[in-house]
Amino acid sequence: MLVYIVSFPLVIWFMVYMIFRKIMPKSVNTFKLVCDAGVFLWFYACAVLLETLVGDDVFWLLLAICCAIFPANAIWQRVRHEEVLYTKMFVHGWRLLFLLLVPLHAVLFTLGVAKEMIH
């Protein structure tokens, strides 16, 4: 099961999206809901791939980088002279995590496949 979660999170994410789309009412934005829930899936997949590529446990480093997004978002709101709303900061940071982890997973997966092909 671990291999499927790490190798094909897009397929699992899409299946969850289709299931939620069928069972949730039309008034609920299922795409945002599944993107928010998918951050855990992508984070786990990226952490496992990074650990496999590096050969050392770098989970805490990845977690620290991901947590740094929230204060950076607060600073960005302050620079734009907006009031820092913590709910808005959390939602924007969480969705930004989704947008950063998906391409990171693709890069790490490609590097992992290339590394295995070389050896």
Side-chain angles (χ1 to χ4, degrees), residues 44-118:
Y44 178 73
C46 288
V48 171
L49 282 172
L50 203 56
E51 182 179 340
T52 304
L53 285 174
V54 175
D56 200 17
D57 187 19
V58 290
F59 171 79
W60 296 108
L61 178 64
L62 184 63
L63 184 64
I65 292 170
C66 289
C67 287
I69 287 176
F70 299 107
N73 194 0
I75 292 169
W76 178 251
Q77 286 180 5
R78 238 12 211 160
V79 166
R80 293 188 338 188
H81 302 293
E82 293 181 10
E83 182 183 351
V84 178
L85 302 171
Y86 293 108
T87 55
K88 186 178 177 182
M89 177 188 71
F90 184 76
V91 169
H92 286 173
W94 196 255
R95 295 207 174 124
L96 184 61
L97 269 176
F98 179 80
L99 293 175
L100 293 175
L101 288 172
V102 172
L104 177 66
H105 177 269
V107 168
L108 291 174
F109 186 76
T110 306
L111 287 174
V113 169
K115 182 179 175 183
E116 287 300 315
M117 290 177 73
I118 290 173

Side-chain angles (χ1 to χ4, degrees), residues 13-47:
W13 180 83
F14 186 72
M15 288 176 11
V16 170
Y17 171 68
M18 293 309 288
I19 291 169
F20 272 41
R21 193 169 160 206
K22 292 290 182 191
I23 64 172
M24 297 297 252
K26 298 286 185 201
S27 62
V28 176
N29 192 343
T30 54
F31 184 76
K32 288 182 180 179
L33 184 66
V34 174
C35 284
D36 291 343
V39 169
F40 294 111
L41 175 72
W42 294 103
F43 181 80
Y44 178 73
C46 288

